[in-house]
Amino acid sequence: MAGWTVALICAFAAWAQESPAAKTPARTTAETKKSEKDEAKNPTQEFLKSTVDLIPSATPGVQVTALTDAAELYGKEHKKEALALLQQAFQTAGGIPARPGREAGSTQAMVLVSMAGYDPSAAAELLGGLSPKARAFPLFAVVSQLIEEKQLEKAIATLELHAMPEAYPYAAANMVLNQLAEDDPRRAQIFGAAASSFNSEADIQGFSQLLQSQWRKTPRVVVDPAVHRAVSTVLKMKRPDPMSVSKRTEKGAVTFDNETDADLFELMGAMQGVDPKGAREILDSRPTLKAALERFPDGSSSMSGGGQGGMTMMQTRSGDSTPSANVQEEMRLNAVSDQIAAEAMKLAADNALEAVKKAKEIPLEKVKASTLIQIAQAAAAKDAASADPAEAKSVLSQVETELKGMKDPMSGAQNWAQLAEAAGKAGETELADRAIDRGIADCETLYKDDANADDPNLAPKEYWPSLQSWRRVMVAAAAVRGLDAETLLTKVTDPDLLVMARLAVLRGVMKKPIRGVNYASSHRRER
């Protein structure tokens, strides 16, 4: 069986809890009935209710995803309904066997991340049933929400209750420490618990970020041994394959030809602070690392202005031999494509038609498509504020023509969805409809591959490329057609696909875009 192929974009957003409603006079029976009647007439809410009624027909994994989705669509305006759905999702997730390579309880953990935004105390009560590894991210979500609600003491108590040494939640501890004054005695206590929990190579990333953020504000008696242990751990780590690592932000980029230097890059700022002599001894034998730290003394935090936000990181196998001719050609095409794309986007600000002409020269299909879409989006936005729509119409038409030649259905579904949205904003409804139809055609192609009886996609259905692509296209369709986009689903018979596509329609209508997308494919035959 081929291994998992997963592209994961995970995101966490904390929502502010609603303030208590002001006490109002009791409504009369007539007023109550009128309010209930008005709510019943709300077509969006009725569509949501009818979609929730369909969720039990889906497979368990899709049920969890759909229930979590529906809770977000109810939102804090209907907090009671949202929490009930998340409780149901948590229970359903508990009955799903763990997938190979994933921690038991990881699905329940993601439900608790969502629940924390509505009721962090309710989410905290369920943390104890998860393994230490599974609870780390939802614990961070709970602590974040409690801090946002100005409940620092409760956040500290929750951290201390649920943090386990075998999988310490360094990110949650870092957030709490950022709220404490430098002379607060609890700082040494919490940092000390984190430091004593650091006992494996698997902890190095989380612990490095904690050190990077806190070493200047924490008593030296606690920090010094922690820094030395972390640096020593990195230097002793066995690296099975050579790996080059590049880190890039708006402030610049650094590239290392080995993972050890990349890991030390995050620690040497603290090491130079607590042990300058020991740091010099290390840096004298690592000139690339030394040069990188001269530019960015605090590692990645210097590059991004704080933490890892806005950073992209690339890791590639390096080896000792010269890259093959195919690899060299791929690198060349990437470089050429990126260069032309940058030139096209520069033109787009003043002359979108010239930008399209330039983008057509991009050799790599995916880069060409994404660049054309960006130009189309910019032209549509510019058209919305202009009295002359001619340029945007011509740009959108040319982009449509170019996208017809794209061969990858998964990229195609995404591209057609984005073009449909851009066309809708520019008032080009016929073009938008054509783009939606082509996006659906790509989704159907993907579904045939996922559901192929001879070689089906063995990954959980909620991660199928076809299902996720349907979601993306239906969000775009609803942005253009509103709830009428449901008519596009009349031929859909798969209950999993139908439920998720209907929820996507609601996302488009309610302007709540999909924040995170998970794709997974696992076929017996090589693809």
Side-chain angles (χ1 to χ4, degrees):
M1 183 187 299
W4 293 102
T5 303
V6 182
L8 178 62
I9 305 173
C10 301
F12 164 70
W15 297 275
Q17 189 178 28
E18 294 174 329
S19 57
K23 188 174 182 180
T24 56
R27 294 185 297 181
T28 65
T29 302
E31 288 173 335
T32 300
K33 288 182 177 180
K34 182 178 184 302
S35 175
E36 291 174 350
K37 186 176 180 181
D38 290 342
E39 185 174 342
K41 288 181 179 179
N42 184 324
T44 301
Q45 288 298 313
E46 286 301 300
F47 191 92
L48 177 54
K49 290 176 182 177
S50 64
T51 301
V52 169
D53 289 340
L54 295 175
I55 291 177
S57 65
T59 54
V62 174
Q63 284 187 42
V64 174
T65 303
L67 288 165
T68 306
D69 234 27
E72 183 183 344
L73 292 170
Y74 269 113
K76 289 203 168 183
E77 299 83 1
H78 301 273
K79 182 178 176 179
K80 180 180 178 181
E81 290 85 348
L83 280 171
L85 291 172
L86 290 170
Q87 291 279 0
Q88 185 180 344
F90 184 83
Q91 293 173 5
T92 303
I96 299 175
R99 302 204 314 268
R102 292 197 66 179
E103 182 71 21
S106 58
T107 303
Q108 286 184 305
M110 295 312 298
V111 175
L112 293 188
V113 169
S114 296
M115 189 183 294
Y118 295 91
D119 188 339
S121 296
E125 289 177 2
L126 298 172
L127 284 171
L130 302 181
S131 69
K133 287 185 178 179
R135 77 177 66 165
F137 189 33
L139 178 55
F140 170 76
V142 169
V143 168
S144 298
Q145 187 65 28
L146 288 171
I147 289 175
E148 186 172 328
E149 295 175 4
K150 310 300 182 185
Q151 299 187 61
L152 178 58
E153 298 304 320
K154 192 168 185 178
I156 293 173
T158 302
L159 173 67
E160 292 178 337
L161 177 63
H162 293 289
M164 296 289 124
E166 57 267 43
Y168 194 84
Y170 298 106
N174 192 35
M175 178 160 285
V176 168
L177 289 169
N178 283 333
Q179 304 300 312
L180 299 178
E182 291 189 22
D183 60 353
D184 192 314
R186 292 174 296 182
R187 171 174 289 280
Q189 179 182 343
I190 294 171
F191 187 93
S196 63
S197 298
F198 172 66
N199 55 21
S200 73
E201 297 176 0
D203 290 343
I204 192 62
Q205 183 176 5
F207 190 54
S208 293
Q209 292 176 12
L210 179 70
L211 279 174
Q212 199 176 67
S213 176
Q214 302 297 333
W215 73 269
R216 288 185 178 88
K217 299 178 285 187
T218 304
R220 291 286 298 272
V221 67
V222 182
V223 166
D224 285 19
V227 172
H228 281 93
R229 279 182 60 212
V231 170
S232 177
T233 297
V234 170
L235 291 172
K236 292 177 182 177
M237 286 172 66
K238 295 179 180 180
R239 311 287 185 172
D241 297 305
M243 180 85 75
S244 64
V245 181
S246 296
K247 302 184 181 188
R248 180 182 300 275
T249 70
E250 70 283 353
K251 291 187 177 182
V254 292
T255 299
F256 305 102
D257 60 8
N258 63 87
E259 291 177 276
T260 299
D261 278 3
D263 287 338
L264 288 173
F265 180 63
E266 309 300 347
L267 292 169
M268 292 309 295
M271 184 67 173
Q272 287 174 313
V274 303
D275 184 1
K277 181 181 178 182
R280 280 196 301 272
E281 292 175 356
I282 294 172
L283 293 177
D284 285 345
S285 63
R286 298 176 177 274
T288 302
L289 175 61
K290 184 176 182 179
L293 288 165
E294 287 173 354
R295 296 173 58 203
F296 304 109
D298 285 323
S300 295
S301 65
S302 295
M303 297 178 70
S304 59
Q308 302 287 332
M311 173 169 292
T312 58
M313 187 167 74
M314 180 182 297
Q315 295 181 301
T316 56
R317 301 289 174 190
S318 53
D320 294 330
S321 60
T322 302
S324 67
N326 288 339
V327 172
Q328 290 184 28
E329 177 61 11
E330 183 180 351
M331 293 171 63
R332 186 190 71 80
L333 288 174
N334 273 298
V336 171
S337 297
D338 289 345
Q339 177 61 36
I340 298 175
E343 293 172 4
M345 292 311 301
K346 188 174 181 180
L347 287 170
D350 299 318
N351 192 326
L353 291 172
E354 284 298 314
V356 170
K357 184 178 179 181
K358 172 60 69 173
K360 291 178 182 179
E361 301 173 8
I362 298 173
L364 289 181
E365 182 177 282
K366 287 186 177 181
V367 179
K368 180 194 292 187
S370 64
T371 305
L372 288 167
I373 289 296
Q374 290 179 67
I375 296 169
Q377 291 170 331
K382 186 177 180 181
D383 172 63
S386 171
D388 181 13
E391 183 181 59
K393 183 175 182 179
S394 179
V395 168
L396 290 166
S397 178
Q398 290 190 50
V399 172
E400 178 188 19
T401 300
E402 288 296 312
L403 290 183
K404 289 177 182 178
M406 303 298 173
K407 299 179 179 62
D408 177 19
M410 191 156 74
S411 296
Q414 170 78 10
N415 293 330
W416 288 117
Q418 290 179 304
L419 182 63
E421 289 171 338
K425 289 178 181 177
E428 297 296 321
T429 55
E430 291 185 5
L431 192 156
D433 287 343
R434 291 196 301 271
I436 291 166
D437 289 343
R438 285 187 173 274
I440 289 175
D442 281 335
C443 291
E444 291 172 342
T445 299
L446 290 168
Y447 185 78
K448 288 179 182 178
D449 184 54
D450 282 332
N452 183 348
D454 295 327
D455 187 22
N457 186 352
L458 300 176
K461 207 167 181 180
E462 60 269 27
Y463 300 134
W464 278 13
S466 57
L467 184 146
Q468 293 293 352
S469 296
W470 265 102
R471 292 179 73 206
R472 183 64 188 88
V473 171
M474 293 310 297
V475 168
V480 176
R481 300 184 182 183
L483 287 177
D484 288 341
E486 181 198 8
T487 59
L488 298 169
L489 303 175
T490 54
K491 295 181 180 180
V492 176
T493 58
D494 186 317
D496 294 318
L497 185 58
L498 181 62
V499 165
M500 295 308 302
R502 283 174 62 95
L503 289 168
V505 169
L506 286 160
R507 283 188 174 277
V509 170
M510 299 170 74
K511 294 180 172 50
K512 291 187 176 183
I514 301 168
R515 289 201 303 266
V517 178
N518 304 312
Y519 296 104
S521 292
S522 178
H523 293 270
R524 291 188 177 91
R525 300 172 188 168
E526 293 293 337
R527 297 301 172 105

